Amino acid sequence: MTTYAPEIGTADDVGPMIRRILAPNPSPMTYLGTNTYLLGTKHIAVIDPGPRDDRHLSAILDAVGHDARVTHIFVTHSHLDHSPLASELADETGAQIHAFGRSKDGQSDFMRQLEQNGYDAGGEGIDHTFCPDVYLSDGAVIEGKDWTIRAIHTPGHMSNHMCFAAGKHVFSGDHVMDWATSMVSPPDGDLSDFMTSCRKLLTNDWDAFYPGHGDIVRTPNDRIKWLIDHRCGREREIEQALQNGPNTARAIAEMIYTDIDPRLIPAATRNVFAHLLDLSAKGLITFEKPLSADSIFSQK
């Protein structure tokens, strides 16, 4: 049983020079809310400022205090629960915003083509106005006074998603969490990219992940391996469902997601849709064109 129950707006010490502030935006998709992290002592890096909310902005500034200052702002990805407050925090502090890029940057050719063909039902709340001051390449190293961050491009949940490693501790955004699997919602999410990013993270032996929602992941490599196995298992379930005949993503989701809050079925449908697109790209199944949320998929 998890003991994760932080108080909204309170800065809790959760790691070496790491504090966490929970934003006031709980929901079925965000759990108790978005985790904003402060890294450092006097010269602070803020990771994922969160949604646009005056109370949360005040909580961040109060936690920084008068004896320290925000020198860097990092955004893992530009969903509305992670990035909008970055611009206001930058205005208040003068710090620059660091991220991989804008909301469509890093999008795979397959998903770009899907979008150009008219499919745009991602549904995850994109911050379309997000624009970083500093565009980070994969592997970029940024140094503060008492911390160093290495940027790791991890597309999958979203094309511009980045994890930020401080030594063997990683701010993992929505890519790896302890309370739920990461949502992969085309055309902004890409399952093939997600699996590649998981395997990329496994090339290091990490101590802890600090996710965008939920508690600290204390055995991150084990969690990544579980996520890979979980996705492979979902793929098998979807293939088995299609053995009973052609069907839609929604119908398949209702068949295989039998243990979740009914309010999450639309999100589960998008996850299934991501798997179906991945299977289609692999040439294992076909679908009726034009592609839509109601497309019928069939085994070859």
Side-chain angles (χ1 to χ4, degrees):
M1 181 69 68
T2 181
T3 59
Y4 173 73
E7 183 178 346
I8 288 173
T10 299
D12 297 319
D13 291 323
V14 293
M17 296 189 300
I18 302 172
R19 289 177 288 165
R20 177 185 62 205
I21 306 174
L22 181 67
N25 62 328
S27 77
M29 294 300 298
T30 61
Y31 193 32
L32 299 186
T34 300
N35 293 325
T36 294
Y37 296 99
L38 276 59
L39 173 65
T41 54
K42 296 296 185 181
H43 293 224
I44 308 295
V46 176
I47 297 96
D48 279 350
R52 184 166 284 110
D53 186 287
D54 291 341
R55 295 166 296 171
H56 194 51
L57 177 62
S58 295
I60 295 171
L61 296 174
D62 289 346
V64 172
H66 298 295
D67 297 329
R69 65 187 182 93
V70 176
T71 59
H72 297 71
I73 300 168
F74 293 90
V75 174
T76 59
H77 64 293
S78 53
H79 276 149
L80 289 173
D81 55 327
H82 287 259
S83 61
L85 198 61
S87 59
E88 293 183 38
L89 184 61
D91 289 342
E92 289 282 345
T93 63
Q96 290 187 312
I97 301 168
H98 298 66
F100 178 79
R102 305 188 68 151
S103 293
K104 296 298 179 181
D105 289 349
Q107 191 176 40
S108 66
D109 291 339
F110 183 79
M111 292 302 160
R112 187 177 297 111
Q113 186 63 49
L114 176 66
E115 200 165 39
Q116 289 173 353
N117 289 342
Y119 184 84
D120 61 356
E124 286 303 294
I126 308 297
D127 182 1
H128 292 288
T129 65
F130 178 71
C131 184
D133 301 303
V134 180
Y135 287 68
L136 297 175
S137 59
D138 182 45
V141 174
I142 306 91
E143 295 186 352
K145 286 290 184 180
D146 51 9
W147 51 263
T148 299
I149 275 180
R150 178 166 61 90
I152 307 171
H153 186 212
T154 50
H157 173 68
M158 193 170 176
S159 62
N160 70 346
H161 195 288
M162 274 193 145
C163 293
F164 298 110
K168 297 183 76 173
H169 298 256
V170 177
F171 301 96
S172 58
D174 284 2
H175 190 76
V176 180
M177 301 176 286
D178 77 323
W179 73 285
T181 58
S182 180
M183 169 62 64
V184 178
S185 182
D188 306 300
D190 186 307
L191 184 61
S192 178
D193 283 351
F194 178 81
M195 298 293 276
T196 298
S197 294
C198 282
R199 294 184 176 101
K200 178 180 182 179
L201 288 172
L202 272 179
T203 59
N204 288 271
D205 185 19
W206 306 108
D207 284 346
F209 279 8
Y210 296 83
H213 310 278
D215 205 357
I216 299 164
V217 182
R218 299 292 183 182
T219 54
N221 288 67
D222 289 343
R223 181 62 174 170
I224 297 169
K225 292 174 185 175
W226 182 90
L227 287 171
I228 292 172
D229 290 343
H230 174 76
R231 286 290 181 177
C232 291
R234 283 292 187 217
E235 180 176 287
R236 289 191 294 271
E237 288 178 323
I238 291 167
E239 289 180 301
Q240 289 169 3
L242 287 174
Q243 288 177 6
N244 297 322
N247 222 326
T248 64
R250 173 81 186 210
I252 294 171
E254 290 174 343
M255 280 192 286
I256 66 177
Y257 283 87
T258 58
D259 58 348
I260 64 171
D261 186 328
R263 293 176 298 172
L264 294 176
I265 284 294
T269 299
R270 295 195 292 275
N271 261 332
V272 168
F273 187 61
H275 276 282
L276 290 167
L277 291 181
D278 186 50
L279 288 167
S280 300
K282 293 175 182 175
L284 299 176
I285 63 174
T286 60
F287 57 86
E288 291 182 346
K289 298 180 180 179
L291 185 63
S292 74
D294 299 319
S295 291
I296 297 175
F297 291 82
S298 308
Q299 280 194 324
K300 278 195 168 181

